[in-house]
Amino acid sequence: MTNYKRSERFDEFDGLDYEGPETTGDYDLAERHALRRVSGLSTELADVTEVEYRSLRLERVVLVGVWTDGTLTQAENSLRELALLAETAGSEVLEGLIQRRAKPDPATYIGSGKAEELADVVLATGADTVIADGELTPSQLRTLEDICKVKVIDRTALILDIFAQHAKSREGKAQVELAQLQYLMPRLRGWGGNLSRQVGGRAAGGVGIGGRGPGETKIELDRRRIRTRMAKLRRQIGEMSKTRDTKRSVRRARRVPAVAIAGYTNAGKSSLLNRLTGAGVLVENALFATLDPTVRKAVTPSGRPYTLADTVGFVRHLPHQLVEAFRSTLEEIGDADLIVHVVDGSDPEPDAQIKAVREVLSEVDATSVPELIVINKADAADPVVLGRLKREYKNSVVVSARTGAGMTDLLELIEAELPDFDREVHVVLPYSQGALVARIHEQGEVVKIEHRDDGTELVARVPLALAAELEVFEVAPSGS
């Protein structure tokens, strides 16, 4: 049995020390901290079967995990990450327990004997919630709650609760609700007599015409309502994603390169976006602090424009319900020309972070997109670890979004990785064709420009569609 208190690493980064006026991220952070949970106020239920029908309110929790493979250090790091998730959700972690098993017990997850020991720990610490470091089946949830006499949730429910707290936009809230309903559907269970069969006829004491037959159980009505709500949410998300699809298609038509920032949660993606573009989005040292994607315009050192998109963070065993619900948002990564993969260099297991992120990228069909590894938090990481990561991942750069170290190298690498425009043209445009000159500047990359008596001479790299329009003005290069 091991105590897991709040990690020192969790308090190292409170955000970036930018000077200047307050940003929208500052206001969002102040609003988020305006209401804090008070520890010690019990929410223990007389009937623990009610937990699926109300919002999760975690306070004093005990963590439990099953160590099936890997080393003990990896198992402890996984439980420490679960502790950070629990603290992000607003709870106080009291104890953490790990059990060595070949596989989780199908009935109680940790075995009947260990479940009794867990109940003793819950009673001794005064905890009101048990969090399992894995996804529990409905039967495992019920059995553990019967033994421990307190609310039991799993890692998936915990992550969904954090997403529900941090979702701000209309689309984000709809995506989180859809994921929660997908998780809740197989876990609905009866509320005693309230969900008993609503029968008619003789069984119901002779209610008469219209009341005969076995009727429909209340739980079946709940499932039908949930299915109806899920269908409505999917339609709403589909409608809301059309705006993003339209903007993305316009950028593709103009051949503006798109760069997506992806990475593990709390690796510093939003901090990096703020450092590169001054976006001013919310930065907080918490897991899944920002969920809504942010797209900002940026320029390379040579002045070439591109878009930089911040996406939702990933985590080990990210619930598949979230991947499915956030698929329209994660398409920003699949449609990008370059993925800036941010890794927390100060994390005990940065390689595990990279593996977990790449697993999610494969689920959204983004493995074919070029990847640039950005090893962040260089000011807090071990230089030996940074050197090893730099050698192991060839296309990588070490930076610190907090101090700005390595940003010049990062920008140069991004520019080198961006795709070239499709065709170089050499044209002389009459002065009456000022609109075409403006489009070349907007959609292309001007290499040379000169104003002549008969018009504007340009050498530029432009998209194929624009190059076709410029064919009538094309001239042979001078000297040929």
Side-chain angles (χ1 to χ4, degrees):
M1 189 187 307
T2 308
N3 284 324
Y4 290 95
K5 302 301 182 184
R6 186 176 181 87
S7 171
E8 292 180 359
R9 189 178 67 85
F10 197 66
D11 293 320
E12 288 175 357
F13 297 95
D14 293 325
L16 294 180
D17 297 329
Y18 290 126
E19 296 181 356
E22 290 185 325
T23 63
T24 55
D26 296 328
Y27 292 122
D28 292 340
L29 189 61
E31 180 184 357
R32 179 171 295 177
H33 290 171
L35 181 63
R36 306 300 289 175
R37 299 186 181 191
V38 179
S39 61
L41 300 180
S42 176
T43 57
E44 185 174 353
L45 299 174
D47 180 3
V48 296
T49 60
E50 299 179 10
V51 296
E52 272 78 23
Y53 291 91
R54 67 185 186 91
S55 300
L56 296 176
R57 292 183 296 169
L58 312 181
E59 289 181 355
R60 297 166 59 82
V61 302
V62 172
L63 312 179
V64 59
V66 173
W67 171 25
T68 57
D69 54 13
T71 65
L72 176 60
T73 300
Q74 291 174 333
E76 290 180 343
N77 287 337
S78 179
L79 205 65
R80 287 191 178 95
E81 181 178 84
L82 185 68
L84 296 182
L85 287 168
E87 290 172 357
T88 300
S91 62
E92 177 186 356
V93 178
L94 304 177
E95 294 283 357
L97 291 81
I98 301 176
Q99 187 198 10
R100 186 73 164 104
R101 295 181 63 92
K103 61 180 180 179
D105 183 73
T108 61
Y109 181 65
I110 55 176
S112 58
K114 292 297 180 182
E116 294 292 343
E117 291 183 23
L118 176 62
D120 294 338
V121 171
V122 169
L123 184 62
T125 58
D128 54 22
T129 303
V130 171
I131 307 179
D133 191 18
E135 184 165 339
L136 302 180
T137 64
S139 62
Q140 288 172 333
L141 279 170
R142 286 195 298 270
T143 305
L144 277 177
E145 284 181 348
D146 290 341
I147 295 174
C148 297
K149 307 302 180 184
V150 295
K151 177 176 57 187
V152 177
I153 67 167
D154 57 17
R155 183 187 182 96
T156 299
L158 176 60
I159 294 175
L160 290 174
D161 182 64
I162 296 172
F163 270 59
Q165 291 182 44
H166 292 177
K168 288 187 58 181
S169 68
R170 181 166 170 259
E171 182 179 13
K173 291 178 180 178
Q175 289 168 326
V176 172
E177 183 181 354
L178 176 60
Q180 288 178 315
L181 292 177
Q182 288 175 329
Y183 173 82
L184 174 62
M185 175 69 82
R187 291 168 175 81
L188 284 177
R189 59 189 189 218
W191 251 357
N194 291 337
L195 294 186
S196 59
R197 284 193 173 274
Q198 301 170 345
V199 299
R202 293 187 182 89
V207 296
I209 297 175
R212 298 182 176 90
E216 185 176 25
T217 62
K218 180 67 166 57
I219 196 168
E220 289 170 348
L221 289 172
D222 289 342
R223 289 188 179 126
R224 181 152 51 84
R225 291 191 183 101
I226 288 177
R227 283 191 291 266
T228 302
R229 179 61 180 168
M230 288 169 58
K232 183 178 180 180
L233 287 171
R234 289 192 179 98
R235 289 194 300 270
Q236 290 178 353
I237 293 172
E239 290 294 326
M240 288 183 283
S241 65
K242 289 180 180 178
T243 302
R244 189 183 302 109
D245 294 339
T246 301
K247 293 179 180 178
R248 206 157 45 221
S249 63
V250 170
R251 293 196 296 265
R252 281 197 296 264
R254 294 180 175 179
R255 291 302 300 152
V256 177
V259 178
I261 301 177
Y264 212 77
T265 179
N266 206 34
K269 298 181 299 300
S270 298
S271 301
L272 187 65
L273 179 70
N274 287 345
R275 177 65 69 178
L276 293 176
T277 67
V281 298
L282 182 145
V283 173
E284 184 182 13
N285 183 35
L287 306 185
F288 301 112
T290 52
L291 302 181
D292 301 318
T294 303
V295 181
R296 291 292 185 269
K297 180 180 178 181
V299 292
T300 63
S302 66
R304 184 179 179 186
Y306 63 96
T307 60
L308 198 61
D310 183 20
T311 58
V312 63
F314 304 145
V315 73
R316 296 180 188 90
H317 312 300
L318 188 68
H320 66 275
Q321 296 96 338
L322 283 174
V323 176
E324 182 63 30
F326 278 76
R327 185 167 293 276
S328 61
T329 300
L330 296 175
E331 285 175 358
E332 291 281 356
I333 301 176
D335 290 340
D337 298 301
L338 175 66
I339 296 176
V340 172
H341 181 170
V342 183
V343 182
D344 183 356
S346 65
D347 188 83
E349 293 183 290
D351 298 283
Q353 283 194 2
I354 294 175
K355 180 181 177 183
V357 170
R358 286 177 172 174
E359 287 177 356
V360 180
L361 292 179
S362 65
E363 291 188 46
V364 295
D365 302 323
T367 53
S368 60
V369 182
E371 179 188 44
L372 173 61
I373 300 290
V374 178
I375 307 166
N376 191 26
K377 302 187 181 179
D379 55 321
D382 185 348
V384 176
V385 175
L386 295 179
R388 179 186 65 80
L389 293 173
K390 191 76 170 63
R391 291 190 301 270
E392 187 171 345
Y393 301 97
K394 299 302 180 184
N395 195 23
S396 61
V397 61
V398 177
V399 305
S400 171
R402 181 181 179 87
T403 64
M407 289 300 158
T408 301
D409 296 337
L410 172 59
L411 289 172
E412 291 175 354
L413 275 176
I414 290 177
E415 183 170 22
E417 293 291 333
L418 291 180
D420 293 329
F421 285 105
D422 298 303
R423 182 179 169 189
E424 183 174 298
V425 296
H426 184 191
V427 296
V428 175
L429 297 176
Y431 289 114
S432 59
Q433 297 293 331
L436 274 179
V437 176
R439 287 179 59 192
I440 292 174
H441 281 283
E442 181 182 5
Q443 301 180 23
E445 183 179 355
V446 177
V447 177
K448 174 186 174 183
I449 182 169
E450 183 179 343
H451 299 286
R452 307 185 343 182
D453 293 338
D454 55 344
T456 304
E457 180 181 3
L458 296 105
V459 178
R461 286 187 289 270
V462 296
L464 285 176
L466 182 55
E469 297 182 44
L470 296 171
E471 284 182 353
V472 294
F473 303 104
E474 199 158 5
V475 297
S478 58
S480 61

